[in-house]
Amino acid sequence: MEVKLHDIGEGMTEANINHFLVKVGDVVRADQPLVEVQTDKMTAEIPAPFSGVIKEFTVNEGETIPVGSTVLLMEKEHRDATRRTVPQTTQVSKKKRILASPYTRKIARENGINIEEVVGSGAGGRIVDEDVLLYMKGDVGPPPKPEEERVPDVQVTTEEHTGHTIPFRGRRKQIASKMSQSLRTIPHCTHFEEIDVTNLLVWKDTMKRCGQSISMGAYFVKALSVCLKEFPIFNARLNEEEECVKLQSHHNIGIAVDTDEGLIVPVIKGVEGKTMKDIQAEMKALTVKAQEGTLAMKEIKGGTFTVSNVGPLNGSIGATPIINEPEVALVAFHKTKKRPMVNDKDEIVVRSMMNVSMSFDHRVADGGTAVMFTNRLRDLIEEPQSMLLELM
């Protein structure tokens, strides 16, 4: 019987065959993972539809196939028949799960490298292009230091990549399609605000001394939820066919995460009912899953508003972010920098300033409403104690 690639969510049309988790001749049980695939949004496993024996692979690792294609053939056998026809020595294969993008796998295949022998330096042991290139140069020493401490022995220069092509498919292609659709459909308007985060940094340090470590990102997400409660028009969906704007009942805030394979936006559901500690724990868990490519479909669906915190990348002072359609707004937090500012007494003081950009759908809201939204956000960030009133 044929085991096919089915639509595992969000209307996917194709997937890349990362690697098989079994081999021909293996006896497998129902629901056992057979093959790992990479869609435009996530890494997923196709399970066995029944117990039986793997007879043949009909596609190759690294191949991109459309939904509905046959991946492998299985023979369904009854328990007695299995005992008669399958040797007792047959073992269920337990192949090591490799975290690597389709392009990284392609580099390994084209150079005759068994990717299972390569030590990954990325998040969760993910193998990146540079790991394969280092392996090609014979550098297969001890496992590398954690990513934040690791200094590559070999610098991969632009010349080394000259003549290479990068596949434009999978997640990268889906991102391009969605961004193009968003820009074609939504009349974007972006405005900017600068926010003094000096007091928030002091508050953060105070919480840490009290044994409560709360990240700036978690505070931002909770503050945005407070603002969305007061300005629900930015937590909405526009339905032009029915000529209505539907206000969403929950604040499901998407967190933009930069990964080796492109941008992905896992969603924290029901932020309005969660504490900052809850938000921080969920943000951390979802970010790790995004970087390791292990997000479930339910963890990337249902967003109503998106936040992009690019400040930690230490390179952005402003941007015009593209809205994550069908949402109607997105806020981006940029890097914090100490600057001389003039206070109410006309004194020059050093303050920690952060730029914020907000893109919104001009069909749904006007600039004045967006300004009031970011003014409220600014107040919550500049005076952290005011958040206490919102949590009472």
Side-chain angles (χ1 to χ4, degrees):
M1 295 183 66
E2 298 178 337
V3 177
K4 297 185 176 183
L5 174 67
H6 58 277
D7 184 351
I8 55 179
E10 293 277 299
M12 59 170 275
T13 59
E14 63 181 17
N16 185 274
I17 304 297
N18 273 358
H19 66 284
F20 290 101
L21 304 172
V22 294
K23 62 181 185 294
V24 173
D26 278 352
V27 178
V28 299
R29 63 185 183 278
D31 296 325
Q32 178 181 332
L34 302 177
V35 58
E36 181 185 272
V37 300
Q38 175 72 56
T39 73
D40 54 297
K41 292 180 178 291
M42 62 183 292
T43 301
E45 295 173 343
I46 298 177
F50 48 79
S51 297
V53 180
I54 304 299
K55 304 301 292 184
E56 179 185 352
F57 297 139
T58 57
V59 295
N60 299 315
E61 291 186 351
E63 187 175 345
T64 298
I65 61 174
V67 169
S69 299
T70 300
V71 177
L72 57 83
L73 302 179
M74 282 183 63
E75 182 175 333
K76 186 176 183 179
E77 297 182 276
H78 297 294
R79 187 175 302 171
D80 292 342
T82 302
R83 278 202 288 264
R84 287 198 307 271
T85 60
V86 180
Q88 294 296 319
T89 56
T90 301
Q91 298 289 328
V92 175
S93 175
K94 293 183 179 180
K95 292 185 67 175
K96 177 184 176 183
R97 185 166 186 262
I98 303 298
L99 297 174
S101 72
Y103 181 62
T104 301
R105 296 174 187 275
K106 180 174 181 287
I107 294 175
R109 279 196 311 276
E110 291 179 347
N111 289 277
I113 293 172
N114 181 358
I115 199 166
E116 293 185 8
E117 298 177 358
V118 180
V119 177
S121 63
R126 173 174 289 275
I127 299 171
V128 297
D129 298 355
E130 287 76 7
D131 297 327
V132 177
L133 295 171
L134 286 171
Y135 187 94
M136 289 165 56
K137 294 177 180 292
D139 187 351
V140 290
K145 297 177 181 179
E147 190 172 6
E148 64 270 17
E149 299 177 7
R150 181 175 180 264
V151 178
D153 295 324
V154 179
Q155 294 296 325
V156 180
T157 64
T158 303
E159 289 76 10
E160 289 182 81
H161 288 291
T162 301
H164 286 190
T165 59
I166 300 174
F168 186 64
R169 56 176 180 250
R171 186 181 297 173
R172 184 75 266 159
K173 183 177 180 180
Q174 181 65 18
I175 290 172
S177 176
K178 190 164 186 177
M179 293 300 97
S180 297
Q181 174 65 19
S182 180
L183 282 174
R184 283 194 300 268
T185 305
I186 299 175
H188 281 60
C189 184
T190 303
H191 83 97
F192 301 87
E193 179 60 275
E194 63 176 6
I195 298 177
D196 186 341
V197 297
T198 307
N199 293 338
L200 181 58
L201 290 171
V202 172
W203 175 87
K204 181 175 179 292
D205 289 341
T206 301
M207 291 297 100
K208 188 174 182 179
R209 288 195 298 271
C210 295
Q212 300 293 330
S213 181
I214 303 296
S215 69
M216 299 277 279
Y219 188 96
F220 293 158
V221 169
K222 189 63 180 180
L224 282 168
S225 180
V226 172
C227 295
L228 290 174
K229 182 179 179 180
E230 298 178 19
F231 299 90
I233 194 64
F234 295 115
N235 195 62
R237 292 282 186 275
L238 171 63
N239 189 323
E240 291 189 285
E241 292 183 1
E242 297 182 6
E243 298 182 332
C244 69
V245 175
K246 183 177 181 180
L247 305 181
Q248 304 298 295
S249 56
H250 295 290
H251 303 161
N252 299 335
I253 298 183
I255 310 297
V257 179
D258 185 35
T259 74
D260 293 338
E261 297 167 25
L263 187 71
I264 192 165
V265 186
V267 178
I268 302 177
K269 307 287 178 59
V271 171
E272 73 281 359
K274 293 182 176 178
T275 66
M276 277 182 270
K277 289 180 65 176
D278 293 336
I279 294 168
Q280 176 164 298
E282 197 165 341
M283 281 179 64
K284 185 176 180 179
L286 289 173
T287 297
V288 170
K289 284 187 176 183
Q291 292 171 340
E292 294 180 351
T294 58
L295 286 168
M297 186 58 66
K298 65 181 180 180
E299 293 172 319
I300 59 177
K301 294 177 63 177
T304 62
F305 188 93
T306 296
V307 56
S308 176
N309 187 10
V310 295
L313 298 179
N314 198 33
S316 173
I317 60 172
T320 54
I322 299 174
I323 297 167
N324 190 16
E325 190 189 23
E327 298 170 14
V328 300
L330 178 153
V331 165
F333 297 95
H334 304 282
K335 73 176 180 180
T336 298
K337 187 176 182 180
K338 288 186 177 181
R339 299 207 305 264
M341 304 295 291
V342 179
N343 64 15
D344 293 338
K345 298 179 181 179
D346 291 335
E347 299 169 332
I348 297 178
V349 293
V350 176
R351 306 292 288 179
S352 294
M353 305 299 295
M354 176 185 68
N355 290 345
V356 173
S357 56
M358 178 180 183
S359 291
F360 61 94
D361 187 338
H362 218 326
R363 298 171 301 177
V364 176
D366 295 322
T369 309
V371 169
M372 287 189 286
F373 181 94
T374 52
N375 283 349
R376 181 66 173 120
L377 179 63
R378 180 197 62 205
D379 293 343
L380 289 169
I381 293 175
E382 291 190 343
E383 298 297 339
Q385 66 271 21
S386 64
M387 183 73 84
L388 292 174
L389 299 175
E390 303 300 330
L391 302 179
M392 292 178 64

